[in-house]
Amino acid sequence: MTDTDVLIVGSGPVGSAFARLIADARPEASITMVELGPQVSTPPGSNVRNLPPAERDAARERSQGPQGALSGDRERTLHVEGTVISPGGTYLASPGHQDGMPAAALSSCVGGMGVHWTCATPRPNDDERIPFIPEAELDAAFDEAERLMHVTTLPENPYGRAIKELLREHFAGTLPEDRLPDGLPMSAIPQPDGSIRWGGADTILGDTRLDLRTETIARRLVIEGDRVIAVEVEHLPTRARETISARVIIVAANAFQTPQLLWASGIRPDALGRYLTEHVLVYSVVALRDEVVERAGIDTPVAQLVKDPTASTFGIPYTAGVHPYRTQVMHMADPPFPVDESSVHVGAARFVAMGNGVRKFPRAEDRLVFSDDAVDGWGMPQLTIEYEVTERELAEVERASADLRAVAESIGEFVPGGEPRLMPAGTSLHYKGTVRMGDDGGAESVVDDRSRVWGFRNLFLGGNGLIPTATVSNPTLTSVALAVLASAAVLEELDAARVAEPQSAG
Ligand SMILES: Cc1cc2nc3c(=O)[nH]c(=O)nc-3n(C[C@H](O)[C@H](O)[C@H](O)COP(=O)(O)OP(=O)(O)OC[C@H]3O[C@@H](n4cnc5c(N)ncnc54)[C@H](O)[C@@H]3O)c2cc1C
């Protein structure tokens, strides 16, 4: 039986943040990380957008779990002949069992979704924030999360500056000065040659030393009283099984597979898998008017300046009561779907794709149901997603669509087929709430404000599943910040366990 100080399940940005924080504070501690997917990029967990296109496509396919090449698509088209498929690098979470959330998807690889993500890392605002964590503490955790993720605002090009100017003029007087449209904070490292290295789990891990077990699934947590004493794992290619004993266990295996592992282990509090939320998404595509080029004052073709639309992205933040959505505006030379350019005036500045993320209010009945009999493609309890967008959210969708229409008028016009439309549930890829954090002793929550599972001393969780509030901000920064807050409690538990068993140190 292998023995380790800390065992982390899941190698995404959040598992990686735990590893980094623990290794920095206790360099002598042994850390083992198990990840059911393969390593698809080098260094492990790096963003595939840093790879040349052919390698990127291969890495995406290898992240698509049991569905492999049948899943994600290179163009990221969501609708193919009436079916829903997932973006490249992801695969549908539970085909045949996800009618409530047809687009729900996962990535299975070293680095998790964090090797396929867009890197947007805005902070949440107002009532998006977790109310029972003191403001100053949460802000300090965001500072540390931003440091770990190398969050920055990317340099602007003249077209981007012109778009931003028009957007700011549109919202002037409506939104507070510090909530006006602005460059989106990104996990990214601008390079001296002008290119960008996109952030991934590797950015967070740095040179952290750990024993990374790839293609190794955690099947069950072994419980003794109020502790998890070991984890049963299986190396998938060889089917070799092993039990790894550990002093502290952290499960950061995403909002679907974290509750799945707890369920498989017999840890089944009432709130497990419930209160599932995401960002209800309204999407649109706008052809920019000529004024953008006039304001930019240059004649360089857009394609030369906007090679990666992510590099020219603007955010319009959530502001309670005034702008209860988060708008993401991406400038692009080529539209995300074919556009008949004879039927709409496409200015030389070309296009933006604009989406409004709308709140989903937590309800116990939006939930994952796990089976005690059937298993999924990984041999874990089959999960079924029960989820509904209610009248309450649909009313917000109406307002968010009207908001997008007004914004579009200020910069251009919708392309045919680009008018605001509600995307299938699950499209956001931001699933939250299924192992939610609370200050209620576990009545409607799974973990406390330090991410510790109620009733256990040494079992901590990480990931978007902990986020208990209705939010619209991209969640990864928040989840890394929650790992920062948890890390002091993790270290305290580790130190106590090593005092009790001094032979384990080293
Ligand atoms: C295309 C795309 C764009 C995105 N853009 C953004 C964005 O701009 N901003 C943002 O905030 N978020 C974005 N996201 C979401 C973001 O990537 C996730 O929020 C983030 O990766 C969550 O990190 P995590 O570590 O909690 O989980 P994950 O990254 O999902 O990692 C969990 C890992 O655990 C592994 N695992 C699961 N079960 C087990 C088990 N039993 N045993 C062993 N391993 C297991 C999984 O294989 C997975 O690799 C995007 C996602 C995608 C796919």
Side-chain angles (χ1 to χ4, degrees), residues 311-331:
S312 242
T313 303
F314 307 95
I316 309 171
Y318 174 87
T319 302
V322 185
H323 190 260
Y325 342 101
R326 160 159 273 283
T327 316
Q328 206 153 296
V329 182
M330 296 170 93
H331 185 203

Side-chain angles (χ1 to χ4, degrees), residues 6 55 71 102 119 123 224 241 262 269 280 312 329 469 489 496-497:
V6 180
E55 286 176 42
S71 190
C119 301
R123 288 191 186 199
E224 200 176 272
R241 288 197 171 226
L262 266 60
V280 182
S312 242
V329 182
T469 45

